[in-house]
Amino acid sequence: MEGVVLLSVLELWGPVYRRTESLKHVNISNKEVTASSRHYVDRLFDLDPQKVLQGVMLLYLLQQETSSTELRTECAVVLGSLAMGTENNVKSLLDCHIIPALLQGLLSPDLKFIEACLRCLRTIFISPVTPEDLLYADATVISHLMALLSRSRYTQEYICQIFSHCCKGPDHQTILFNHGAVQNIAHLLVSTSYKVRMQALKCFSVLAFENPQVSMTLVNVLVDGELLPQIFVKMLQRDKPIEMQLTSAKCLTSMCRAGAIRTDDSCIVLKTLPCLVRMCSKERLLEERVEGAETLAYLIETDVELQRIASITDHLIVMLADYFKYPSSVSAITDIKRLDHDLKHAHELRQAAFKLYASLGANDEDIRKKIIETENMMDRIVNGLSESSIKVRLAAVRCLHSLSRSVQQLRTSFQDHAVWKPLMKVLQNAPNEILVVASSTLCNLLLEFSPSKEPILESGAIELLCSLTQSENLALRVNGIWALMNMAFQAEQKIKSDILRGLSTEQLFQLLSDSDVNVLMKTLGLLRNLLSTRPHIDHIMSTHGKQIMQAVTLILEGEHNIEVKEQTLCILANIADGTTAKELIMTNDDILQKIKYYMSHSNAKLQLAAMFCISNLIWNEEEGSQERQDKLRDMGIVDILHKLSQSSDPNLCDKAKTALQQYLA
């Protein structure tokens, strides 16, 4: 075991840190450091590797109850300095089990030692190589940290920072919430220390994110007689540091999205939204502009009115176009550091702008038009679809999806820029999260009024979409079948045959027995679109009639909701409208009995759909109508029609009377 520790300490060796700087944070002067402590610390900073090995004693000494408190404190400080070095330093410290050692140190009665341990823990936990779950491994740790919050402003600052970095997702939020995080941290928002206020605020921004339980609790918390939302609003004011404005805007955004604050509340419309728009301006640092745009995109994502307000605040749509201008041209940049900084943030800026444009254009046609008319917008989206960064690609596809909801833009800009080409390329090979949004966009490009429909078909879309219907990912199955449904609408017979061939009867049955109702409804919608116009109905039923009738029977017999049964009866009505296809119903007594049953059903929608079937079967002007009428009369259908002609439902009444006239003609 000792060998492992020695190796780890050799790996630890990174840049040299000045001991005096690390000590000042925990208020220990050089005079207080014992001779014994200095001996080990000096060895750690010695240039001779053999002497450096003696530094391994730090972790050992930290854990020795017999060591003086000053020495143990000094060890924690130096280990914290090491943790500020490279990621390899942190990995090596983790390998040495530094976290359990420091957590053990928190049980000490000595406040200075506790602060030194917390500061070192904070440094280790904010490193990207440290797994957050290490904080939650022992259930007693969180309770103890909550208890330490009252000890000093340093314990408050470090513990809040640890919580905000280690709270990733609903499980962590729940643990912290159940341990009283809201009650224990709320009063820190009015601390005299800016650092404490700021870390407490960051804590609330991660606790409330996508968490209705936390958000609903925060709304009613009082601190010094003021409700938390009012405190957050004060922190939004222009005279506050940008970091504070942004973080409090994030808290209010999360509370609004969770339904704890109304979207038309003045603290959202007049405070949070304008603050976030301000963060998007050229005056702000690039990282602030990224965070501002992403938070604003989340705030307005589902609310039409907030989208409209944001779109006319401070020329936001034009302001966002500037996000695509980084890095600036190299000739304009003499500072290499600046170029490096711009390059680093360029991806993030484009991603944030695409996200915000997607939210802005989610519902309003005029806003979409303004976005598309912004300089080179369609070119930027098309370029975004082939970027190396997955996050930028995803945001670009989201933006395209949002704009593809516009009938006008599908007919103009989308066609002018042949958007379907890069979109099809994205669909060939992408992670699922991109595939889901890209296939949703394709659904819109395949609507009957879209000029892109034709070229998409020619580029092999049927095969691609049929393969999506076999995906294990539910959203991809829905989108695949949805796109095929749109493709089949008013399509020529060849396309319909290609779809049926591409899907295969086996896959069609698979989709009709899918446990998800959306998949089932879209598959029925596809069948209904395939079985439209008489020649197509007759052709498809001549090749696939047996299987389709089997599927219809299965669904009408199964435990399905009203909408599914109605859609299935509408498919039967379409089959009944065929010239030769209707015989497949007339020779199937089981199906006829089911139609009869639904004519007398308690739900008017199902009754009406069943009546459409009957009307199409008995229509006078068609060959064989007399025989069909006679058979249906013998089954008691006419009696049901007489009864329905007295119905209080005007639709049922009219349909029954029209059907009866066929018998009288």
Side-chain angles (χ1 to χ4, degrees), residues 317-365:
I317 291 174
V318 176
M319 198 195 301
L320 281 178
D322 189 65
Y323 278 46
F324 295 95
K325 294 175 183 171
Y326 293 87
S328 316
S329 61
V330 179
S331 58
I333 296 183
T334 50
D335 183 353
I336 289 295
K337 277 188 178 172
R338 161 92 187 280
L339 175 62
D340 189 51
H341 178 261
D342 282 11
L343 279 168
K344 187 176 162 220
H345 290 288
H347 285 313
E348 293 171 8
L349 283 161
R350 289 197 292 276
Q351 179 191 345
F354 282 139
K355 276 186 182 174
L356 185 43
Y357 277 138
S359 286
L360 283 163
N363 295 288
D364 189 286
E365 192 66 26

CSV table of all heavy atoms in Angstrom, one decimal, residues 317-365:
chain,number,residue,atom,x,y,z
A,317,ILE,N,-32.9,40.3,-31.7
A,317,ILE,CA,-32.7,39.4,-32.8
A,317,ILE,C,-31.4,39.8,-33.6
A,317,ILE,O,-30.6,39.0,-34.0
A,317,ILE,CB,-33.9,39.4,-33.7
A,317,ILE,CG1,-35.1,38.6,-33.0
A,317,ILE,CG2,-33.7,38.7,-35.1
A,317,ILE,CD1,-36.4,38.6,-33.7
A,318,VAL,N,-31.3,41.2,-33.8
A,318,VAL,CA,-30.1,41.7,-34.5
A,318,VAL,C,-28.8,41.5,-33.6
A,318,VAL,O,-27.8,41.2,-34.1
A,318,VAL,CB,-30.3,43.2,-34.9
A,318,VAL,CG1,-29.0,43.7,-35.5
A,318,VAL,CG2,-31.5,43.3,-35.8
A,319,MET,N,-29.0,41.8,-32.3
A,319,MET,CA,-27.9,41.7,-31.4
A,319,MET,C,-27.3,40.3,-31.4
A,319,MET,O,-26.0,40.1,-31.3
A,319,MET,CB,-28.4,42.0,-29.9
A,319,MET,CG,-27.3,42.3,-28.9
A,319,MET,SD,-27.9,42.2,-27.2
A,319,MET,CE,-29.3,43.4,-27.2
A,320,LEU,N,-28.1,39.2,-31.5
A,320,LEU,CA,-27.6,37.9,-31.5
A,320,LEU,C,-26.8,37.5,-32.7
A,320,LEU,O,-25.9,36.6,-32.7
A,320,LEU,CB,-28.8,36.9,-31.5
A,320,LEU,CG,-29.5,36.7,-30.1
A,320,LEU,CD1,-30.6,35.7,-30.2
A,320,LEU,CD2,-28.5,36.1,-29.1
A,321,ALA,N,-27.0,38.3,-33.8
A,321,ALA,CA,-26.2,38.0,-35.1
A,321,ALA,C,-24.7,38.2,-34.8
A,321,ALA,O,-23.9,37.6,-35.4
A,321,ALA,CB,-26.7,38.9,-36.2
A,322,ASP,N,-24.4,39.1,-33.8
A,322,ASP,CA,-23.0,39.3,-33.5
A,322,ASP,C,-22.3,38.1,-32.9
A,322,ASP,O,-21.1,38.0,-32.9
A,322,ASP,CB,-23.0,40.5,-32.5
A,322,ASP,CG,-21.5,41.0,-32.3
A,322,ASP,OD1,-20.9,41.5,-33.2
A,322,ASP,OD2,-21.0,40.8,-31.1
A,323,TYR,N,-23.1,37.2,-32.3
A,323,TYR,CA,-22.5,36.0,-31.7
A,323,TYR,C,-21.8,35.1,-32.7
A,323,TYR,O,-21.0,34.2,-32.3
A,323,TYR,CB,-23.7,35.1,-31.1
A,323,TYR,CG,-24.1,35.6,-29.7
A,323,TYR,CD1,-24.4,36.9,-29.4
A,323,TYR,CD2,-24.3,34.6,-28.7
A,323,TYR,CE1,-24.8,37.3,-28.2
A,323,TYR,CE2,-24.8,35.0,-27.5
A,323,TYR,CZ,-25.0,36.3,-27.2
A,323,TYR,OH,-25.4,36.7,-25.9
A,324,PHE,N,-22.1,35.3,-34.0
A,324,PHE,CA,-21.4,34.5,-35.1
A,324,PHE,C,-20.1,35.1,-35.6
A,324,PHE,O,-19.5,34.5,-36.4
A,324,PHE,CB,-22.4,34.3,-36.2
A,324,PHE,CG,-23.6,33.5,-35.9
A,324,PHE,CD1,-24.8,34.1,-35.5
A,324,PHE,CD2,-23.6,32.1,-35.8
A,324,PHE,CE1,-25.9,33.4,-35.1
A,324,PHE,CE2,-24.7,31.4,-35.5
A,324,PHE,CZ,-25.9,32.0,-35.1
A,325,LYS,N,-19.7,36.2,-35.0
A,325,LYS,CA,-18.6,37.0,-35.5
A,325,LYS,C,-17.3,36.7,-34.8
A,325,LYS,O,-16.4,37.5,-34.8
A,325,LYS,CB,-18.9,38.5,-35.6
A,325,LYS,CG,-20.0,38.7,-36.6
A,325,LYS,CD,-20.5,40.2,-36.6
A,325,LYS,CE,-21.6,40.4,-37.6
A,325,LYS,NZ,-22.2,41.7,-37.5
A,326,TYR,N,-17.3,35.6,-34.0
A,326,TYR,CA,-16.0,35.3,-33.3
A,326,TYR,C,-15.5,34.0,-33.8
A,326,TYR,O,-16.2,33.1,-34.2
A,326,TYR,CB,-16.4,35.1,-31.8
A,326,TYR,CG,-16.8,36.5,-31.2
A,326,TYR,CD1,-18.1,36.9,-31.2
A,326,TYR,CD2,-15.8,37.3,-30.6
A,326,TYR,CE1,-18.4,38.1,-30.7
A,326,TYR,CE2,-16.2,38.5,-30.1
A,326,TYR,CZ,-17.5,38.9,-30.1
A,326,TYR,OH,-17.8,40.1,-29.6
A,327,PRO,N,-14.1,33.8,-33.9
A,327,PRO,CA,-13.2,34.8,-33.5
A,327,PRO,C,-13.1,35.9,-34.6
A,327,PRO,O,-13.4,35.6,-35.7
A,327,PRO,CB,-11.9,34.0,-33.5
A,327,PRO,CG,-12.1,32.8,-34.4
A,327,PRO,CD,-13.6,32.5,-34.3
A,328,SER,N,-12.8,37.1,-34.1
A,328,SER,CA,-12.6,38.2,-35.1
A,328,SER,C,-11.5,37.9,-36.1
A,328,SER,O,-10.7,37.0,-35.8
A,328,SER,CB,-12.3,39.5,-34.3
A,328,SER,OG,-13.0,39.6,-33.1
A,329,SER,N,-11.5,38.6,-37.2
A,329,SER,CA,-10.4,38.3,-38.2
A,329,SER,C,-9.1,38.4,-37.5
A,329,SER,O,-8.8,39.3,-36.7
A,329,SER,CB,-10.6,39.2,-39.4
A,329,SER,OG,-10.4,40.5,-38.9
A,330,VAL,N,-8.2,37.5,-37.9
A,330,VAL,CA,-6.9,37.4,-37.2
A,330,VAL,C,-6.1,38.7,-37.3
A,330,VAL,O,-5.5,39.2,-36.3
A,330,VAL,CB,-6.0,36.3,-37.8
A,330,VAL,CG1,-4.7,36.2,-37.1
A,330,VAL,CG2,-6.8,35.0,-37.6
A,331,SER,N,-6.2,39.4,-38.4
A,331,SER,CA,-5.5,40.7,-38.6
A,331,SER,C,-5.9,41.7,-37.5
A,331,SER,O,-5.1,42.6,-37.1
A,331,SER,CB,-5.7,41.2,-40.0
A,331,SER,OG,-7.1,41.4,-40.2
A,332,ALA,N,-7.1,41.6,-37.1
A,332,ALA,CA,-7.6,42.6,-36.1
A,332,ALA,C,-7.2,42.3,-34.7
A,332,ALA,O,-7.4,43.0,-33.7
A,332,ALA,CB,-9.1,42.7,-36.2
A,333,ILE,N,-6.6,41.1,-34.5
A,333,ILE,CA,-6.2,40.6,-33.2
A,333,ILE,C,-4.7,40.6,-33.1
A,333,ILE,O,-4.0,39.8,-33.7
A,333,ILE,CB,-6.8,39.3,-32.9
A,333,ILE,CG1,-8.3,39.4,-32.8
A,333,ILE,CG2,-6.3,38.7,-31.5
A,333,ILE,CD1,-9.0,38.1,-32.4
A,334,THR,N,-4.2,41.5,-32.3
A,334,THR,CA,-2.7,41.4,-32.1
A,334,THR,C,-2.4,40.6,-30.8
A,334,THR,O,-1.3,40.1,-30.7
A,334,THR,CB,-2.2,42.9,-31.9
A,334,THR,OG1,-3.0,43.5,-30.8
A,334,THR,CG2,-2.3,43.7,-33.1
A,335,ASP,N,-3.3,40.4,-30.0
A,335,ASP,CA,-3.1,39.7,-28.7
A,335,ASP,C,-3.5,38.2,-28.9
A,335,ASP,O,-4.6,37.9,-29.1
A,335,ASP,CB,-4.0,40.4,-27.7
A,335,ASP,CG,-3.8,39.8,-26.3
A,335,ASP,OD1,-3.1,38.8,-26.2
A,335,ASP,OD2,-4.4,40.3,-25.3
A,336,ILE,N,-2.4,37.4,-28.8
A,336,ILE,CA,-2.6,36.0,-28.9
A,336,ILE,C,-3.6,35.4,-27.9
A,336,ILE,O,-4.5,34.6,-28.2
A,336,ILE,CB,-1.3,35.2,-28.8
A,336,ILE,CG1,-0.4,35.5,-30.1
A,336,ILE,CG2,-1.5,33.7,-28.7
A,336,ILE,CD1,-1.0,34.9,-31.4
A,337,LYS,N,-3.5,35.9,-26.7
A,337,LYS,CA,-4.4,35.5,-25.6
A,337,LYS,C,-5.9,35.8,-26.0
A,337,LYS,O,-6.7,35.0,-25.7
A,337,LYS,CB,-4.1,36.2,-24.3
A,337,LYS,CG,-2.9,35.6,-23.5
A,337,LYS,CD,-2.8,36.2,-22.1
A,337,LYS,CE,-1.6,35.6,-21.4
A,337,LYS,NZ,-1.4,36.3,-20.1
A,338,ARG,N,-6.1,36.9,-26.6
A,338,ARG,CA,-7.4,37.3,-27.0
A,338,ARG,C,-8.0,36.3,-28.0
A,338,ARG,O,-9.1,35.9,-28.0
A,338,ARG,CB,-7.4,38.8,-27.5
A,338,ARG,CG,-8.5,39.2,-28.3
A,338,ARG,CD,-9.7,39.8,-27.5
A,338,ARG,NE,-10.8,40.1,-28.4
A,338,ARG,CZ,-10.9,41.1,-29.3
A,338,ARG,NH1,-9.9,42.0,-29.3
A,338,ARG,NH2,-12.0,41.2,-30.0
A,339,LEU,N,-7.1,36.0,-29.0
A,339,LEU,CA,-7.5,35.1,-30.0
A,339,LEU,C,-7.9,33.7,-29.4
A,339,LEU,O,-8.9,33.1,-29.8
A,339,LEU,CB,-6.4,34.9,-31.1
A,339,LEU,CG,-6.6,33.9,-32.2
A,339,LEU,CD1,-7.8,34.2,-33.0
A,339,LEU,CD2,-5.4,33.7,-33.1
A,340,ASP,N,-7.0,33.3,-28.5
A,340,ASP,CA,-7.3,32.0,-27.9
A,340,ASP,C,-8.6,32.0,-27.1
A,340,ASP,O,-9.4,31.1,-27.2
A,340,ASP,CB,-6.1,31.7,-26.9
A,340,ASP,CG,-6.2,30.3,-26.3
A,340,ASP,OD1,-6.3,29.4,-27.1
A,340,ASP,OD2,-6.1,30.1,-25.1
A,341,HIS,N,-8.8,33.1,-26.4
A,341,HIS,CA,-10.1,33.3,-25.7
A,341,HIS,C,-11.3,33.3,-26.6
A,341,HIS,O,-12.3,32.6,-26.4
A,341,HIS,CB,-10.0,34.6,-24.9
A,341,HIS,CG,-11.2,35.0,-24.1
A,341,HIS,ND1,-12.2,35.8,-24.6
A,341,HIS,CD2,-11.7,34.5,-22.9
A,341,HIS,CE1,-13.2,35.9,-23.7
A,341,HIS,NE2,-12.9,35.1,-22.7
A,342,ASP,N,-11.2,34.0,-27.7
A,342,ASP,CA,-12.3,34.1,-28.7
A,342,ASP,C,-12.6,32.7,-29.3
A,342,ASP,O,-13.7,32.3,-29.5
A,342,ASP,CB,-11.9,35.1,-29.9
A,342,ASP,CG,-12.1,36.5,-29.4
A,342,ASP,OD1,-12.3,36.7,-28.2
A,342,ASP,OD2,-12.1,37.4,-30.3
A,343,LEU,N,-11.5,32.0,-29.7
A,343,LEU,CA,-11.7,30.7,-30.3
A,343,LEU,C,-12.4,29.7,-29.3
A,343,LEU,O,-13.2,29.0,-29.7
A,343,LEU,CB,-10.3,30.1,-30.6
A,343,LEU,CG,-9.7,30.6,-31.9
A,343,LEU,CD1,-8.2,30.1,-32.0
A,343,LEU,CD2,-10.5,30.0,-33.1
A,344,LYS,N,-12.0,29.8,-28.0
A,344,LYS,CA,-12.5,29.0,-27.0
A,344,LYS,C,-14.0,29.2,-26.9
A,344,LYS,O,-14.8,28.3,-26.7
A,344,LYS,CB,-11.8,29.3,-25.7
A,344,LYS,CG,-12.2,28.3,-24.6
A,344,LYS,CD,-11.4,28.6,-23.3
A,344,LYS,CE,-12.1,28.0,-22.1
A,344,LYS,NZ,-12.1,28.8,-20.9
A,345,HIS,N,-14.4,30.5,-27.0
A,345,HIS,CA,-15.9,30.8,-26.7
A,345,HIS,C,-16.7,30.8,-28.0
A,345,HIS,O,-17.9,30.9,-27.9
A,345,HIS,CB,-16.0,32.1,-26.0
A,345,HIS,CG,-15.5,32.0,-24.6
A,345,HIS,ND1,-16.3,31.3,-23.6
A,345,HIS,CD2,-14.4,32.4,-24.0
A,345,HIS,CE1,-15.6,31.4,-22.5
A,345,HIS,NE2,-14.5,32.1,-22.6
A,346,ALA,N,-16.0,30.8,-29.2
A,346,ALA,CA,-16.8,30.9,-30.4
A,346,ALA,C,-17.9,29.8,-30.6
A,346,ALA,O,-19.0,30.1,-31.0
A,346,ALA,CB,-15.8,30.8,-31.6
A,347,HIS,N,-17.5,28.5,-30.3
A,347,HIS,CA,-18.5,27.4,-30.3
A,347,HIS,C,-19.7,27.7,-29.4
A,347,HIS,O,-20.8,27.6,-29.8
A,347,HIS,CB,-17.8,26.1,-29.9
A,347,HIS,CG,-16.9,25.5,-31.0
A,347,HIS,ND1,-17.3,25.4,-32.3
A,347,HIS,CD2,-15.7,25.0,-30.9
A,347,HIS,CE1,-16.3,24.9,-32.9
A,347,HIS,NE2,-15.3,24.6,-32.1
A,348,GLU,N,-19.3,28.1,-28.2
A,348,GLU,CA,-20.4,28.3,-27.2
A,348,GLU,C,-21.3,29.5,-27.6
A,348,GLU,O,-22.5,29.4,-27.3
A,348,GLU,CB,-19.7,28.6,-25.8
A,348,GLU,CG,-19.0,27.5,-25.2
A,348,GLU,CD,-18.1,27.9,-24.0
A,348,GLU,OE1,-18.3,29.0,-23.5
A,348,GLU,OE2,-17.4,27.0,-23.5
A,349,LEU,N,-20.7,30.5,-28.2
A,349,LEU,CA,-21.5,31.6,-28.6
A,349,LEU,C,-22.5,31.2,-29.7
A,349,LEU,O,-23.7,31.6,-29.7
A,349,LEU,CB,-20.6,32.8,-29.1
A,349,LEU,CG,-20.0,33.6,-28.1
A,349,LEU,CD1,-18.8,34.4,-28.7
A,349,LEU,CD2,-20.9,34.6,-27.4
A,350,ARG,N,-22.0,30.5,-30.7
A,350,ARG,CA,-22.9,30.0,-31.8
A,350,ARG,C,-24.0,29.1,-31.2
A,350,ARG,O,-25.2,29.2,-31.6
A,350,ARG,CB,-22.1,29.3,-32.9
A,350,ARG,CG,-21.2,30.2,-33.7
A,350,ARG,CD,-20.8,29.6,-35.0
A,350,ARG,NE,-19.8,28.5,-34.8
A,350,ARG,CZ,-18.5,28.7,-34.6
A,350,ARG,NH1,-18.0,29.9,-34.5
A,350,ARG,NH2,-17.7,27.6,-34.4
A,351,GLN,N,-23.6,28.2,-30.3
A,351,GLN,CA,-24.6,27.3,-29.7
A,351,GLN,C,-25.7,28.1,-29.0
A,351,GLN,O,-26.9,27.8,-29.2
A,351,GLN,CB,-23.9,26.4,-28.7
A,351,GLN,CG,-24.8,25.4,-28.0
A,351,GLN,CD,-24.1,24.7,-26.9
A,351,GLN,OE1,-22.9,24.7,-26.8
A,351,GLN,NE2,-24.9,24.1,-26.0
A,352,ALA,N,-25.3,29.1,-28.2
A,352,ALA,CA,-26.2,29.9,-27.4
A,352,ALA,C,-27.1,30.7,-28.3
A,352,ALA,O,-28.4,30.8,-28.1
A,352,ALA,CB,-25.5,30.8,-26.5
A,353,ALA,N,-26.6,31.2,-29.4
A,353,ALA,CA,-27.4,32.0,-30.3
A,353,ALA,C,-28.4,31.1,-31.0
A,353,ALA,O,-29.6,31.5,-31.1
A,353,ALA,CB,-26.5,32.7,-31.4
A,354,PHE,N,-28.0,30.0,-31.5
A,354,PHE,CA,-29.0,29.0,-32.1
A,354,PHE,C,-30.1,28.7,-31.2
A,354,PHE,O,-31.3,28.6,-31.5
A,354,PHE,CB,-28.2,27.8,-32.6
A,354,PHE,CG,-27.5,27.9,-33.9
A,354,PHE,CD1,-26.2,27.4,-34.1
A,354,PHE,CD2,-28.0,28.6,-35.0
A,354,PHE,CE1,-25.5,27.5,-35.3
A,354,PHE,CE2,-27.3,28.8,-36.2
A,354,PHE,CZ,-26.1,28.2,-36.3
A,355,LYS,N,-29.7,28.4,-29.9
A,355,LYS,CA,-30.7,28.0,-28.9
A,355,LYS,C,-31.7,29.1,-28.7
A,355,LYS,O,-32.9,28.8,-28.6
A,355,LYS,CB,-30.0,27.7,-27.6
A,355,LYS,CG,-29.5,26.3,-27.4
A,355,LYS,CD,-29.0,26.1,-26.0
A,355,LYS,CE,-28.3,24.7,-25.8
A,355,LYS,NZ,-27.7,24.6,-24.5
A,356,LEU,N,-31.2,30.3,-28.6
A,356,LEU,CA,-32.1,31.5,-28.3
A,356,LEU,C,-33.0,31.7,-29.5
A,356,LEU,O,-34.2,32.0,-29.4
A,356,LEU,CB,-31.3,32.7,-27.9
A,356,LEU,CG,-32.1,33.9,-27.4
A,356,LEU,CD1,-33.3,33.6,-26.6
A,356,LEU,CD2,-31.2,34.9,-26.7
A,357,TYR,N,-32.4,31.7,-30.7
A,357,TYR,CA,-33.3,31.8,-31.9
A,357,TYR,C,-34.4,30.8,-32.0
A,357,TYR,O,-35.5,31.0,-32.4
A,357,TYR,CB,-32.4,31.8,-33.2
A,357,TYR,CG,-31.7,33.0,-33.6
A,357,TYR,CD1,-30.4,33.1,-34.0
A,357,TYR,CD2,-32.4,34.3,-33.6
A,357,TYR,CE1,-29.7,34.2,-34.4
A,357,TYR,CE2,-31.7,35.5,-33.9
A,357,TYR,CZ,-30.4,35.4,-34.3
A,357,TYR,OH,-29.8,36.6,-34.7
A,358,ALA,N,-34.0,29.5,-31.6
A,358,ALA,CA,-35.0,28.4,-31.6
A,358,ALA,C,-36.1,28.7,-30.7
A,358,ALA,O,-37.3,28.5,-31.0
A,358,ALA,CB,-34.3,27.1,-31.2
A,359,SER,N,-35.8,29.3,-29.5
A,359,SER,CA,-36.9,29.6,-28.5
A,359,SER,C,-37.7,30.8,-29.0
A,359,SER,O,-39.0,30.8,-28.9
A,359,SER,CB,-36.3,29.9,-27.2
A,359,SER,OG,-35.9,28.7,-26.5
A,360,LEU,N,-37.0,31.8,-29.6
A,360,LEU,CA,-37.8,33.0,-30.0
A,360,LEU,C,-38.7,32.6,-31.1
A,360,LEU,O,-39.9,33.2,-31.2
A,360,LEU,CB,-36.8,34.0,-30.6
A,360,LEU,CG,-36.0,34.8,-29.5
A,360,LEU,CD1,-34.8,35.5,-30.1
A,360,LEU,CD2,-36.9,35.9,-28.9
A,361,GLY,N,-38.3,31.7,-32.0
A,361,GLY,CA,-39.2,31.4,-33.2
A,361,GLY,C,-40.1,30.2,-33.0
A,361,GLY,O,-40.7,29.8,-34.0
A,362,ALA,N,-40.2,29.8,-31.8
A,362,ALA,CA,-41.0,28.5,-31.6
A,362,ALA,C,-42.5,28.6,-32.0
A,362,ALA,O,-43.1,27.6,-32.4
A,362,ALA,CB,-40.9,28.1,-30.1
A,363,ASN,N,-43.1,29.8,-31.9
A,363,ASN,CA,-44.5,29.9,-32.2
A,363,ASN,C,-45.0,31.0,-33.1
A,363,ASN,O,-46.0,30.9,-33.8
A,363,ASN,CB,-45.3,30.1,-30.8
A,363,ASN,CG,-45.1,28.9,-29.9
A,363,ASN,OD1,-45.7,27.9,-30.2
A,363,ASN,ND2,-44.3,29.1,-28.9
A,364,ASP,N,-44.2,32.1,-33.1
A,364,ASP,CA,-44.7,33.3,-33.8
A,364,ASP,C,-44.2,33.5,-35.2
A,364,ASP,O,-43.0,33.5,-35.4
A,364,ASP,CB,-44.4,34.5,-33.0
A,364,ASP,CG,-45.1,35.8,-33.5
A,364,ASP,OD1,-44.6,36.3,-34.5
A,364,ASP,OD2,-46.1,36.3,-32.9
A,365,GLU,N,-45.1,33.6,-36.2
A,365,GLU,CA,-44.6,33.6,-37.6
A,365,GLU,C,-43.8,34.9,-37.9
A,365,GLU,O,-42.8,34.9,-38.6
A,365,GLU,CB,-45.9,33.6,-38.5
A,365,GLU,CG,-45.7,33.4,-40.0
A,365,GLU,CD,-45.1,32.0,-40.3
A,365,GLU,OE1,-45.3,31.0,-39.6
A,365,GLU,OE2,-44.4,31.9,-41.3
